[in-house]
Every structure is written in structure tokens, then in C-alpha cells.
């Protein structure tokens, strides 16, 4: 807990765990751990150098002292423990976690690049059956009044359905962007220019305590160190103008017929958001895990 709060490190720890687990492909022909999932393979090159993982080496560096102190705790567990703790420390729900994940053992266990989502075009899976709806199937869908995928909704569904999530899980998990910032530019950890919400001296927890981290980057919400449902208000309402960040994959949650009911529900009720978020986060944290002992254990 203290570590998460020390330098406002909650967001990067949540993103680290999501990028370790979110590589999981439930339909993979590869056996564990090459099917991806919460197995700690993100600590190895080449995976930590995948484009989507830019900056996450700093998350690993934060955890290294804990790993050194408690070597019997596996990397996969440590990464997921840090994330669930970070959500809670930032004011989010308590997640019913279990532990005992088996670790990927060598760099050869890393999953191939390309399973994590892109936030803006070009979306890499433009030729998949989902996106074929942009042609003939799209026209047909319009005529039959069926829901029509755009490039970004198709991409989100391709990525998250592959993990085993449905639309509800996609929207709930996207709500994690209530925390943190986009715009980490380079391997030195420098951020893109500040907005008024990420400038030095601002209080991103919503109280009067200034951020202890480096200024810079663009946040999705005003209080970007506070886990709440404000993401679901700021993304569609354009609040904050260009001072608040939105990916194409954030905006589409408020347009697509499958996503919209969940996005609206979470905007109206933080309780409903927390309830669904904690279920989705637990599922994410267990994707592709092999448990030792079987079934894992609670702490
Ligand atoms: C829905 C598809 C998603 C896309 C396209 C996406 C994309 C991104 C991008 C582009 C960034 C900025 C990275 C940077 O510039 O440094 C980011 C940050 C972040 N993402 Fe996501 N993300 C997605 C889903 C998720 C999920 C499921 C979670 C967690 C459950 C999550 C948690 C975070 C957090 C906490 C940050 C802020 C990190 C920081 O401030 O250091 N994201 N995401």
C-alpha cells in the first residue's frame, strides 16, 4: 500500500498487470505460457519492449525491491497483487483476488507481439471478419437494422473477446482510465507536455495534496489519481475540452449500441461501476493462469 501511494505509482502498476494478463488468447493453439495471460512474461525481453508496453519497465523497476525481499512470491502474483492494491489504494473497490500463479520461466515463454489493443487508428486487425462489415456486411447490417461495428469497436471486440470478455467487461475495464495519463514519450520516462490537470503542483487525488510523480502527459479525468466513475462522465461530455484525453476506443463506448447501456449505467452509478469492475478485474487477473497449488489460494 505504502509503495503504491509513495510516488503516485498506482496507474502504472495497474497498466503493467493489465498488459501482462491481456495478451491471453483463449483460442490459441499454443500451450501455456505461450497462449499469453497472467504469467509474468512481461518481465522479459522481448515482451517488455513490445510497442504497447512503452514505459512499463518503470513498473517492473518499482516491484523489483519487493521481489528481492520476498523471492518466494512469483512475478505473476506480485504484478497482479500490486495492481489490485493500487485500485484499492486509489479509492476503488476491493478485488477478491487469488494467488499461486505459475511464472513463465524464460524469454522463450513470451507471447508474440500484437495481442494488446491500439487506442487510435490504424487498427491492426482491419481485415478480420468483424471489420469485413465495413464492406458488404456493413451495408447489409444497416439494411437489416443490425448493430454495425466501426473500426474501433471491431478492434475492441476482437481483442477482448479473444480474452473471453463480453461488451460489459470491455466497458467496465475501460473505466480504469479514470486513473493515470497518456503520453509517455520515451524510455527515459519523460511525459508529453502538461495539461492543466497534470501540471506540477496540481492535486490529482481531488484533495489538497499535490501529485508526488513527474508532471506531464494528458489524463482522462480531472482527479486522475482517484479511482471513481468520472471517466464515464468526462469522455462523452467533452468536459475539460482538449485538456482531457480520449482515445477513439474510449469515445466509441458512448456510441456503439452494445457498449452504450453499460457506459450509461456506470456514469449514473459508481456503485454499479465498482461492482462490475471488480468482477472484470478479477477475471483479467486470472487469464491463462496455471495455479500452484491447484485452484490457487487467498491471502
Ligand atoms: C480498451 C482498450 C485500451 C486501450 C486502447 C488502452 C490504451 C492506453 C494508452 C494508449 C495509454 C497511454 C499509455 C502512455 O501513453 O503512456 C493507456 C494508459 C493506461 N491504461 Fe489503458 N488501454 C485500454 C484498456 C485498459 C485496461 C483494460 C486497463 C486496466 C484494467 C487500462 C489501464 C490503463 C492505465 C491505468 C493507464 C495509465 C498509466 C499511467 O498513467 O502510467 N487500460 N492505455
Amino acid at each position: 500500500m505504502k509503495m503504491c501511494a509513495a510516488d503516485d505509482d498506482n496507474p502504472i502498476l495497474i497498466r503493467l498487470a493489465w498488459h501482462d494478463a491481456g495478451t491471453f488468447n483463449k483460442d490459441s493453439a499454443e500451450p501455456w505460457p505461450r497462449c499469453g495471460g497472467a504469467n509474468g512474461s512481461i518481465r522479459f525481453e522481448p515482451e517488455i519492449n513490445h510497442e504497447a508496453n512503452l514505459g512499463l519497465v518503470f513498473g517492473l523497476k518499482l516491484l523489483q525491491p519487493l521481489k528481492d525481499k520476498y523471492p518466494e512470491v512469483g512475478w505473476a502474483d506480485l504484478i497482479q497483487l500490486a495492481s489490485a492494491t493500487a485500485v484499492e489504494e486509489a479509492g476503488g473497490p476491493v478485488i477478491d483476488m487469488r494467488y499461486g500463479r505459475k511464472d513463465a520461466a524464460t524469454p522463450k515463454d513470451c507471447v508474440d507481439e500484437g495481442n494488446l489493443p491500439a487506442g487510435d487508428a490504424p487498427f491492426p486487425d482491419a481485415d478480420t471478419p468483424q471489420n469485413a462489415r465495413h464492406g458488404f456486411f456493413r451495408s447489409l447490417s444497416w439494411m437489416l437494422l443490425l448493430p454495425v461495428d466501426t473500426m474501433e469497436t471491431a478492434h475492441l471486440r476482437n481483442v477482448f473477446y479473444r480474452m473471453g470478455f463480453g461488451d460489459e467487461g470491455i466497458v467496465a475495464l475501460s473505466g480504469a482510465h479514470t486513473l493515470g495519463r497518456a503520453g509517455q514519450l520515451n524510455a527515459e520516462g519523460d511525459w508529453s507536455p502538461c495539461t492543466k490537470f497534470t501540471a506540477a503542483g496540481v492535486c490529482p487525488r481531488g484533495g489538497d495534496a499535490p501529485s508526488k510523480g513527474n508532471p506531464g502527459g494528458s489524463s482522462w479525468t480531472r482527479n486522475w489519481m482517484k479511482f471513481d466513475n468520472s471517466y464515464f462522465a468526462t469522455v462523452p461530455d467533452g468536459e475539460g475540452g482538449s485538456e482531457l484525453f480520449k482515445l477513439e476506443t474510449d469515445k466509441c463506448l458512448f456510441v456503439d449500441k452494445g457498449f452504450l447501456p453499460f457506459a450509461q449505467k456506470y456514469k449514473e452509478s459508481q456503485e454499479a461501476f465498482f461492482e462490475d469492475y471488480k468482477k472484470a478485474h478479477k477475471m483479467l487477473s486470472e487469464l491463462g493462469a496455471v495455479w500452484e497449488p491447484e485452484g490457487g489460494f487467498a491471502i
Side-chain angles (χ1 to χ4, degrees):
M1 279 283 196
K2 276 186 188 154
M3 185 196 71
C4 292
D7 287 310
D8 283 339
D9 293 324
N10 293 322
I12 195 171
L13 293 172
I14 296 166
R15 184 166 164 249
L16 177 69
W18 137 239
H19 281 212
D20 192 38
T23 57
F24 179 62
N25 180 354
K26 66 179 172 41
D27 304 318
S28 174
E30 302 256 26
W32 183 94
R34 289 264 305 150
C35 55
N39 57 38
S41 62
I42 199 169
R43 74 191 188 279
F44 292 124
E45 292 179 11
E47 195 169 325
I48 191 63
N49 294 332
H50 288 177
E51 199 179 330
N53 292 336
L54 181 70
L56 288 178
V57 70
F58 296 108
L60 287 175
K61 284 183 182 163
L62 287 170
L63 296 182
Q64 188 65 58
L66 271 181
K67 178 64 183 161
D68 294 343
K69 193 168 174 189
Y70 303 104
E72 65 281 12
V73 180
W75 269 109
D77 273 353
L78 186 58
I79 289 170
Q80 296 304 328
L81 170 68
S83 171
T85 308
V87 169
E88 197 182 330
E89 202 281 330
V94 178
I95 297 158
D96 170 30
M97 298 289 287
R98 59 177 165 151
Y99 297 96
R101 293 167 189 75
K102 192 173 164 185
D103 275 353
T106 77
K108 286 190 182 144
D109 292 339
C110 291
V111 72
D112 293 334
E113 186 156 11
N115 280 5
L116 290 165
D120 288 315
F123 294 103
D125 44 8
D127 295 332
T128 60
Q130 283 268 13
N131 277 343
R133 290 195 199 175
H134 278 272
F136 170 72
F137 289 106
R138 187 180 169 90
S139 311
L140 192 65
S141 299
W142 274 115
M143 284 191 284
L144 297 175
L145 299 176
L146 293 171
V148 179
D149 268 325
T150 60
M151 297 290 267
E152 51 273 24
T153 62
H155 176 60
L156 276 182
R157 291 191 167 105
N158 282 337
V159 169
F160 281 89
Y161 287 10
R162 184 168 60 214
M163 292 176 230
F165 288 103
D167 289 356
E168 182 181 84
I170 295 173
V171 182
L173 286 173
S174 297
H177 286 162
T178 185
L179 291 183
R181 296 168 283 171
Q184 195 151 71
L185 293 177
N186 58 28
E188 278 68 55
D190 295 329
W191 289 89
S192 57
C194 301
T195 65
K196 65 180 176 186
F197 302 115
T198 65
V202 299
C203 306
R205 285 174 180 262
D208 52 12
S211 171
K212 299 167 211 150
N214 292 331
S218 301
S219 60
W220 283 261
T221 62
R222 289 167 182 271
N223 298 327
W224 50 273
M225 284 290 170
K226 188 173 170 207
F227 197 103
D228 57 19
N229 66 339
S230 57
Y231 165 90
F232 295 103
T234 56
V235 174
D237 295 350
E239 191 199 322
S242 60
E243 295 288 293
L244 290 178
F245 185 73
K246 300 158 198 3
L247 295 162
E248 294 303 317
T249 47
D250 296 307
K251 289 188 266 188
C252 75
L253 304 179
F254 300 87
V255 179
D256 177 87
K257 282 182 187 161
F259 295 145
L260 184 62
F262 300 111
Q264 272 173 338
K265 179 167 89 163
Y266 302 151
K267 181 180 174 181
E268 281 155 25
S269 166
Q270 178 160 291
E271 202 182 342
F273 168 48
F274 278 16
E275 206 44 50
D276 289 352
Y277 180 84
K278 65 186 182 190
K279 277 186 254 161
H281 186 119
K282 177 178 171 62
M283 179 172 157
L284 179 66
S285 79
E286 298 183 356
L287 291 179
V290 169
W291 303 94
E292 288 176 333
E294 201 176 325
F297 56 88
I299 54 174

